[in-house]
Amino acid sequence: MDPGFETKGVLTASTNVPEALYAKPSDETTLMERTLAAIRSIPGVTAAGATTTIPWGGNHNDSVILAEGYIMKPGESLISPEQ
């Protein structure tokens, strides 16, 4: 299946940030900015970013993905992948 984006050379990872150490959202943001800067400085890395959800990441299988520009028809229902 073609996901509609380039997957070659892409690496994903997940993290859990200890609330006791990063209690404020700004603390988490600072940590992520420092982490991304470190990753971007690795030789061969051309880009790095962060998100809370990745396509087909396994934790949000009940989400619905619609093609960009798709307009639902009157009476059309959304169907989750879990249904």
Side-chain angles (χ1 to χ4, degrees):
M1 177 176 111
D2 179 1
F5 53 89
E6 181 59 51
T7 59
K8 184 178 178 183
V10 174
L11 173 69
T12 64
S14 82
T15 61
N16 290 311
V17 178
E19 266 187 60
L21 297 176
Y22 302 93
K24 297 182 292 188
S26 61
D27 296 337
E28 249 184 270
T29 300
T30 300
L31 172 65
M32 189 53 56
E33 288 170 350
R34 287 186 8 237
T35 302
L36 288 173
I39 292 168
R40 290 177 183 130
S41 73
I42 297 170
V45 171
T46 58
T51 184
T52 56
T53 306
I54 60 171
W56 303 282
N59 294 328
H60 303 281
N61 290 335
D62 60 346
S63 298
V64 175
I65 300 171
L66 295 175
E68 184 176 348
Y70 181 79
I71 299 171
M72 291 183 60
K73 298 173 184 73
E76 185 176 11
S77 297
L78 294 174
I79 299 175
S80 154
E82 286 288 311
Q83 295 177 330

